[in-house]
Amino acid sequence: DGGITQSPKYLFRKEGQNVTLSCEQNLNHDAMYWYRQDPGQGLRLIYYSQIVNDFQKGDIAEGYSVSREKKESFPLTVTSAQKNPTAFYLCASSIAAGNTEAFFGQGTRLTVV
Amino acid sequence: AQSVAQPEDQVNVAEGNPLTVKCTYSVSGNPYLFWYVQYPNRGLQFLLKYITGDNLVKGSYGFEAEFNKSQTSFHLKKPSALVSDSALYFCAVREGPSNYQLIWGAGTKLIIKP
């Protein structure tokens, strides 16, 4: 069953703690993305990766970090430097750039308590 | 600067009536345009895309969209709305074949009333 899997679905974090969100895909896609979604706003790009061992900052990368050691995995770490981390986080993948659509995971809702 | 506008935060339509969700864009090159739908607490699902060719593209669940280059618009349409179409709809644009980044609209909440 092909797809993109995010875990966990819900995550609670205490202020000052780092937390890592998992994203795995078995679609053999080269490109992977992390987005943040806040109420009433569109998706904002945090990081993206075009290929293994390479990634680029998106529009709101401050306070986040990623790695791309394997083609199928693109974990996102929300660090204590992120001032307002409570949000819905979406991971996506696509074959390549240009005319290909992105496929999304089901999202992780992170709440800082 | 590249941008996507969805001018309506919410659209209300009676079941069985036609629906339109509006999207306009601003990019400097040739646009690749996409529509996605999001149900509550879920990820986004791809509906349709315009790359080139016929300005009217058909997608999933009976949706279609019309690309209008002169008006820089890509409105989403459906001839007869269903209650199950109620969701959040996003328009997105990518500038050109080598660009990885998608620029997203803020989303339009579609409410279909029985």
Side-chain angles (χ1 to χ4, degrees):
Chain A
D1 190 19
I4 182 164
T5 302
Q6 290 186 243
S7 62
K9 189 171 182 179
Y10 298 96
L11 189 56
F12 296 87
R13 189 196 87 176
K14 292 183 179 180
E15 281 192 38
Q17 289 182 338
N18 294 353
V19 64
T20 298
L21 282 60
S22 171
C23 179
E24 303 276 334
Q25 54 99 358
N26 60 5
L27 301 168
N28 201 32
H29 286 171
D30 286 315
M32 296 188 75
Y33 312 79
W34 273 107
Y35 291 95
R36 172 178 171 141
Q37 185 178 22
D38 294 287
Q41 298 190 36
L43 278 65
R44 292 185 290 169
L45 183 65
I46 304 172
Y47 271 97
Y48 68 101
S49 168
Q50 300 175 24
I51 198 168
V52 175
N53 293 321
D54 184 58
F55 49 83
Q56 285 80 41
K57 293 182 179 180
D59 299 320
I60 56 165
E62 186 176 352
Y64 300 97
S65 65
V66 294
S67 62
R68 187 83 188 277
E69 298 176 0
K70 298 185 295 182
K71 187 175 186 178
E72 59 269 23
S73 180
F74 191 42
L76 173 74
T77 297
V78 184
T79 75
S80 56
Q82 169 50 233
K83 299 302 180 187
N84 185 21
T86 294
F88 191 51
Y89 291 88
L90 288 162
C91 180
S93 69
S94 66
I95 295 173
N99 63 4
T100 59
E101 62 269 26
F103 292 80
F104 282 80
Q106 296 302 297
T108 293
R109 185 165 298 280
L110 173 64
T111 303
V112 174
V113 297
Chain B
Q2 301 173 64
S3 65
V4 175
Q6 293 182 241
E8 300 153 318
D9 292 336
Q10 183 169 309
V11 171
N12 298 301
V13 178
E15 187 176 27
N17 283 1
L19 70 87
T20 299
V21 183
K22 296 179 180 177
C23 172
T24 59
Y25 65 90
S26 174
V27 297
S28 55
N30 289 326
Y32 293 175
L33 294 152
F34 304 82
W35 274 104
Y36 288 81
V37 60
Q38 184 181 32
Y39 298 98
N41 296 312
R42 305 293 296 274
L44 277 68
Q45 296 177 32
F46 168 74
L47 279 178
L48 50 78
K49 64 183 178 183
Y50 172 82
I51 304 302
T52 187
D54 193 349
N55 289 342
L56 184 65
V57 294
K58 296 186 183 296
S60 307
Y61 312 119
F63 283 94
E64 58 189 28
E66 186 168 13
F67 171 63
N68 188 316
K69 188 172 183 178
S70 63
Q71 296 185 7
T72 62
S73 67
F74 189 55
H75 301 333
L76 181 70
K77 300 181 179 183
K78 188 173 182 180
S80 179
L82 300 172
V83 172
S84 58
D85 292 330
S86 298
L88 190 57
Y89 290 80
F90 288 96
C91 179
V93 64
R94 181 181 278 142
E95 184 185 25
S98 60
N99 196 322
Y100 278 81
Q101 293 208 35
L102 279 165
I103 309 301
W104 294 86
T108 297
K109 186 175 184 179
L110 178 63
I111 297 176
I112 309 300
K113 298 183 177 180

